[in-house]
Amino acid sequence: MNISPRGDGFPTLFILAFGIIWLTARPLPAAPYEPPPTAIQALFGAAVFHDDSLTFREESTVDPDTSKETDLSQMPMLGFVAQYALAGQNSQAGFEGGLLFGWRSRSTSLTSNLEQTTVRIETSLWLLDLSMGLYASHVLADRLRLSLGAGPLLLFATYDGETEETDSQGDTATTDTSENAFGIGGYARAAVEYRLPDGAFMGIGLRGVTSTLEFEKGVDSSGLEGVQGFISYTRPF
């Protein structure tokens, strides 16, 4: 009887073994790791805000009974944070300041029963988040960096809406709306990162925000609250 061993699982086992070795094997340092006092952190992720705070209502100028609500409460966000430690080595505490940018756009259409008008609605939202606060961090076993931060923030936002209405005769009318908003508030965040071979850190974090920012065209005008999730890359120097 001729037996041929199957090797389908070997590539998977090799990749798994290589990953474990890469994560665990490294030269032992001569002294415990002491992070530098300054760090720059790049962030990329997404935000989920309270639905009604960033839901906007656009109405037809031909038929007042025809309107559309557009939800822009979920958006990608990116930015950076700078940290400066006032005290500590393996455990640090100091100041941090950040700039985050988010955006969202949507296109919708509907038909009015009045004069068979087709309504196309283009909406977009731009959000700028400026923050300054305090942070504390600790590096566990020279590998994992845990950090917490909190402080005040400023939010700036711009909403743009364009309504294009085309009647049964092919005539088109366009209405543009724009609104700027500003709010003050605060943030609190937590993150865990893994130290890479080159001394940088990479991980994930969560950030909660609350502010007084509100839009007149928003369904809810009681302020803006939300949660942001990020992938982070931190370079100490």
Side-chain angles (χ1 to χ4, degrees):
M1 181 172 57
N2 193 10
I3 301 176
S4 299
R6 297 187 60 183
D8 295 345
F10 283 99
T12 302
L13 293 177
F14 176 78
I15 294 172
L16 179 61
F18 179 80
I20 295 174
I21 293 172
W22 184 85
L23 289 174
T24 58
R26 63 179 178 85
L28 293 176
Y33 173 71
E34 296 181 0
T38 307
I40 297 293
Q41 189 174 68
L43 301 173
F44 177 77
V48 179
F49 295 101
H50 187 272
D51 292 350
D52 291 342
S53 299
L54 294 179
T55 296
F56 301 89
R57 181 182 292 111
E58 295 288 347
E59 298 179 350
S60 168
T61 58
V62 177
D63 183 3
D65 294 331
T66 300
S67 63
K68 178 66 174 179
E69 293 185 355
T70 304
D71 181 6
L72 302 177
S73 61
Q74 301 181 30
M75 65 185 69
M77 296 197 75
L78 57 86
F80 70 90
V81 174
Q83 298 176 334
Y84 181 76
L86 298 176
Q89 294 180 343
N90 203 41
S91 297
Q92 294 182 332
F95 292 111
E96 67 178 10
L99 184 151
L100 297 171
F101 177 72
W103 69 97
R104 179 69 190 273
S105 63
R106 293 188 67 178
S107 177
T108 57
S109 62
L110 62 156
T111 301
S112 169
N113 293 325
L114 182 63
E115 299 182 6
Q116 293 299 309
T117 301
T118 300
V119 183
R120 184 180 62 84
I121 301 174
E122 299 278 352
T123 57
S124 63
L125 178 72
W126 306 86
L127 182 69
L128 181 65
D129 179 328
L130 301 175
S131 62
M132 176 66 73
L134 301 175
Y135 84 96
S137 67
H138 179 71
V139 178
L140 293 173
D142 294 346
R143 289 178 179 271
L144 292 179
R145 182 177 187 260
L146 309 177
S147 64
L148 300 172
L153 61 77
L154 301 175
L155 287 180
F156 303 87
T158 297
Y159 167 77
D160 293 305
E162 180 183 276
T163 302
E164 183 181 277
E165 300 175 276
T166 304
D167 60 22
S168 58
Q169 304 300 320
D171 297 328
T172 300
T174 302
T175 303
D176 295 324
T177 58
S178 181
E179 184 179 352
N180 298 319
F182 165 78
I184 60 175
Y187 77 94
R189 66 163 192 86
V192 56
E193 298 174 295
Y194 183 83
R195 187 185 176 200
L196 302 176
D198 63 355
F201 290 87
M202 191 169 186
I204 58 174
L206 284 177
R207 184 175 185 261
V209 299
T210 181
S211 79
T212 59
L213 184 143
E214 59 184 42
F215 286 96
E216 292 184 2
K217 292 186 70 65
V219 175
D220 182 8
S221 59
S222 60
L224 181 65
E225 298 180 351
V227 177
Q228 303 162 342
F230 293 103
I231 297 174
S232 62
Y233 177 82
T234 303
R235 170 65 67 176
F237 63 93

